[in-house]
Structure formats: C-alpha cells, structure tokens
Amino acid sequence: MEKRRVVVTGLGIVSPFGCGIDKFWNSLIAGKSGIKKITRIPLDGHLVTFGGEATTFEDEVIQNELLDAKEMKRMDRFTQFACVASDEAVKDANLDISKEDPYRVGVIVGSGAGGFDTYEKQHKAMIDRGPTKCSPFTIPMLISNMAAGRVSMRHGAKGINKAIVTACATSAHSVGDAFRSIQYGDADVIIAGGAEAVLTNIGLGAFTTARTLSRRNDEPTRASRPYDIDRDGFVMGEGGACLILEELEHALNRGAKIYAEVVGYGQTGDAYDMVAPDPTGAGAAKSMEIAVKDANIEPSKVDYINAHGTSTHLGDIAESQAIAKVFGDLDTNKNLKVSSTKSMHGHMIGATGAAESIVCIKAIEKGIIPPTINLENQDPEVANLNYVPNKAIEANVKYALSNSFGFGGQNASLLFKKYEK
C-alpha cells in the first residue's frame, strides 16, 4: 500500500506566554522567559516556588469568551487548555468539520498526568466533609482521556478518538500516531496534541522530592539552562498544544494553508530506568535514526533539532551524545543547529512534544531558529554542537526534528519538512 502524504494545516497553543501562536512564537524568537513565581497555589513549605505558569489564561478566556463559564467548572484545567488550543488550531486551519464526513476526522490528544487539580480538590472535599461530598463530575474531570473526549465533542469529530499517556513524550506520540493513521487511510484529518496542568501542590511537591527540579528560586527566569554547566534541574510548565494534521490531497482540495509536511516518526524504549535516561543515549539515537529513515533522507539533510533538552545533568548529556552519534558534531556537521526552547517555556510535560513540534514548524515557515537561553558556560560533557546560545538566528530550515523523551524510557522523534508540491 502506498503511504499517503500528511501535512500540517493548523496550529494552536496555550503556553506560559498566554493563549495563541503569535504570543508563543514571538516570545521565543525574542529570547524571552515565561518562567515566574507560581501564583495559583499557596507556596508555604514548597522548596520550589516557580514554573512556567499560564498566568493570564483565565483572564484571556473571560475577555475573549473562549470557554463557557458553566462548562469550565466541569473541566479540569488541563482539559480547558486542550479545548482552547484545539479551537485555535481548527480556526487557523479554516476547517469546517460540519462539511466533512465526521467519521474521517479524528482526535488524538493526551495528557501525562490528567486532572491533578481535580484529584487534590476532591480529595480535600472528601477528607473535610465525608466520602459522599466529592463532585459528581470528579471522574470525568480527572481522567486523562477527557481532553480528547471534550475536543471531539466541541468540534463534532467522530473518527479516531484516543489519548496517549507516555509522560513527557505524550503529545509527540499523539502527533506521530496521527501521522501514521492518516498515512494508512484511517482518517483524513486529525486534531493531535496534548495538555498538562501539574503546577499543583502534589505536582510541585512530588517533582521536588524526586530531585528533578531546579531550585533557583531567586532567579526563576535563569533557572532553565540546558547544556549549561550550572544547570540544576528542569522547570515545570503547563499548557496545551494542538496541530491539525491532514492528508495532502484533502488539504489541497479545500484550499488549506500548508505549514509543513510530516515525513518521519521514530519511537523506541530505553528499558533502563523509571526516571533516568539510558546514559548511552542508545534509545534516543535509535528513535532519531528511525524518523530519518522513515523520511528516506540522509541525516545530513536535517537543519534543526528542537531537543528534549530539559536542563537536567544526565538528560542533556545523553541526548546531546545521541544527536552527535546520528548527525555528527561540529567537527563533521557545521550545518546542524540544536536548541532547547524549554529554557524559555519550561517543561510542559504532556503538552511539550506538540508545543515543540510547533516550534519546528514555525522555524521552517519563518526561517528563524529560536535560541537556548541561559547558556553561558557550556558543559564540557555535552556534545560539541551549535546550541544557538541566547539569541535567535536566521537560517534556511528545510528539515526540522523534534525530540521528546518520557519517564519510563519512552522516546519519540518527529521529522517535519518544508512543503513542496
């Protein structure tokens, strides 16, 4: 069977910079940090007090009437993010699903953790007032697949409907599985992405006790510093990101704008540790190799990699060495640019793969590569690569790769190409 071509026709995001692609992209190319002191929860007793919080979300929702107030009360925050991001993506794609066969339009939107906020609030209600006092909407609010369910109901999409849960690789796998589903004819259009809202008491506290987070409380904007020798952990973010993936002929027939083509998808498992990456980077390297092979190109053709680049000691080293193994370092490949935009938006967990796919797509569209900010003293243990330190650069980007690696050793690599007829 001949595989069908798949293109991206719509983008939508909720990020620490606010609602909307323009706010997200313009902040990144300006090298602006979205990391700040957390405002949604009491911080007494917390050893980490900052993150990539979507602080303007509620105000933007109310001002722009993005969600119905009654429905918002029946959604966890992560589902709200997914709905708003999907609305922007569908509008951006100029997609009218009422004119489509609804069973050919799918939704693949995941979340790494689901409704942490709902867990906390309803557990407190039960402890304070008894086991029958939790909301009747508790279960449909907290389950991880409800973002996909709500998005499908919102837009009338009746085709493939599922939620991927692979921690930090969640929305990368969502985009990749959507790509495969359209390639092989199971759908014509899929809303793909992820959402996460773990800046809660348990989320912040648990990640802190796992000793994974930066504790640079006095300098939050400088806390996420991938590849820098002074990095001390990642910075949690939140948000939602969705892409409209579409079969090429379907997109052309309805006159859709095409941002880029999806041409490669790799996925592997480390089979190594619950949290730590395989220090050899073998699984990460294989994931990238598979994506490049899937696109039927040589590794030297890849111009830009948006790295997983979380700002952890082991993760940055392992991934950088894997990149150098597959694509070469500066001694053998001077064309390749690598950056971690988590230095600016933080680690959006289940939303991060889709958000960083958007970065790759915009880099292709605009010919600009966003920087890795806070990279002041490069760690000699990371591979010798061009990490685009501190300032965006102009570049002709034909192929861009996005890496996402989750707790449990789940790896995903997505390869995008500048669209050519």
Side-chain angles (χ1 to χ4, degrees):
M1 176 180 176
E2 184 178 349
K3 292 186 288 188
R4 306 193 306 169
R5 292 174 69 182
V6 181
V7 293
V8 179
T9 57
L11 307 172
I13 196 164
V14 176
S15 77
F17 304 109
C19 300
I21 290 295
D22 289 345
K23 291 178 184 177
F24 180 65
W25 177 248
N26 291 337
S27 296
L28 295 185
I29 60 173
K32 179 181 177 182
S33 174
I35 311 304
K36 59 190 84 71
K37 188 172 182 178
I38 293 167
T39 62
R40 293 194 71 252
I41 61 172
L43 296 170
D44 294 347
H46 280 289
L47 300 179
V48 174
T49 60
F50 61 93
E53 184 181 5
T55 51
T56 64
F57 178 70
E58 285 82 2
D59 288 342
E60 291 185 76
V61 166
I62 293 168
Q63 290 169 9
N64 300 304
E65 298 181 342
L66 301 178
L67 294 171
D68 177 77
K70 183 178 179 180
E71 283 302 294
M72 279 188 77
K73 294 178 181 178
R74 298 177 178 181
M75 297 181 194
D76 190 88
R77 187 171 169 86
F78 85 98
T79 302
Q80 295 172 13
F81 290 157
C83 288
V84 171
S86 73
D87 284 359
E88 184 187 14
V90 169
K91 182 179 179 181
D92 185 42
N94 195 27
L95 179 64
D96 185 350
I97 295 175
S98 69
K99 296 179 180 178
E100 303 286 337
D101 177 350
Y103 294 99
R104 299 292 298 167
V105 182
V107 177
I108 306 179
V109 175
S111 177
F116 265 26
D117 198 44
T118 297
Y119 271 115
E120 288 186 23
K121 289 176 179 176
Q122 299 309 317
H123 180 261
K124 187 176 188 306
M126 292 176 68
I127 295 300
D128 291 349
R129 297 187 287 129
T132 63
K133 299 302 181 183
C134 64
S135 166
F137 297 102
T138 298
I139 298 303
M141 286 173 69
L142 65 84
I143 52 179
S144 295
N145 66 302
M146 192 48 65
R150 282 281 190 174
V151 167
S152 70
M153 295 174 219
R154 197 168 182 82
H155 300 289
K158 297 183 178 181
I160 294 166
N161 190 300
K162 63 181 180 181
I164 307 293
V165 182
T166 50
C168 316
T170 292
S171 56
H173 279 128
S174 297
V175 173
D177 283 11
F179 166 55
R180 283 282 184 263
S181 296
I182 296 171
Q183 263 194 327
Y184 287 106
D186 294 331
D188 295 324
V189 183
I190 296 180
I191 304 167
E196 207 74 80
V198 290
L199 288 176
T200 65
N201 274 301
I202 193 170
L204 190 62
F207 275 105
T208 300
T209 57
R211 295 186 293 182
T212 58
L213 299 183
S214 168
R215 299 192 182 187
R216 200 181 287 258
N217 293 309
D218 55 338
E219 296 180 301
T221 61
R222 301 183 69 235
S224 184
R225 43 198 316 112
Y227 318 114
D228 190 89
I229 198 166
D230 294 321
R231 66 195 184 282
D232 68 328
F234 76 83
V235 175
M236 273 208 300
E238 63 175 3
C242 287
L243 290 72
I244 305 300
L245 269 62
E246 192 166 349
E247 191 270 326
L248 174 60
E249 291 304 319
H250 185 278
L252 292 174
N253 287 340
R254 67 179 190 87
K257 174 183 176 179
I258 296 174
Y259 281 102
E261 185 172 359
V262 191
V263 291
Y265 177 35
Q267 48 184 332
T268 63
D270 280 355
Y272 177 77
D273 187 83
M274 289 190 298
V275 177
D278 180 344
T280 70
K286 193 66 176 178
S287 180
M288 290 182 272
E289 287 174 358
I290 292 169
V292 170
K293 184 178 180 181
D294 191 33
N296 195 30
I297 63 169
E298 293 299 318
S300 60
K301 295 289 186 181
V302 174
D303 304 294
Y304 170 56
I305 296 175
N306 186 288
H308 190 55
T310 57
S311 186
T312 61
H313 178 71
L314 293 176
D316 288 2
I317 293 170
E319 183 185 12
S320 70
Q321 298 293 348
I323 290 171
K325 177 183 176 183
V326 177
F327 300 97
D329 62 13
L330 280 172
D331 292 330
T332 57
N333 184 356
K334 289 183 168 43
N335 175 62
L336 181 66
K337 312 295 189 299
V338 179
S339 72
S340 172
T341 50
K342 287 186 181 72
S343 59
M344 293 174 277
H345 55 69
H347 193 341
M348 296 162 67
I349 315 296
T352 209
E356 292 164 15
S357 293
I358 290 171
V359 174
C360 288
I361 291 162
K362 294 297 286 185
I364 289 170
E365 180 196 20
K366 299 296 186 181
I368 303 173
I369 295 175
T372 305
I373 69 167
N374 301 320
L375 180 48
E376 296 164 353
N377 298 293
Q378 186 171 309
D379 184 348
E381 289 191 73
V382 302
N384 181 29
L385 299 166
N386 181 350
Y387 296 107
V388 194
N390 301 307
K391 289 186 178 181
I393 59 173
E394 294 184 358
N396 180 25
V397 181
K398 184 176 180 180
Y399 288 95
L401 181 96
S402 178
N403 281 334
S404 295
F405 309 134
F407 281 2
Q410 290 148 332
N411 308 314
S413 299
L414 294 162
L415 187 57
F416 301 92
K417 179 189 177 184
K418 184 176 290 187
Y419 171 65
E420 298 171 332
K421 293 182 180 179

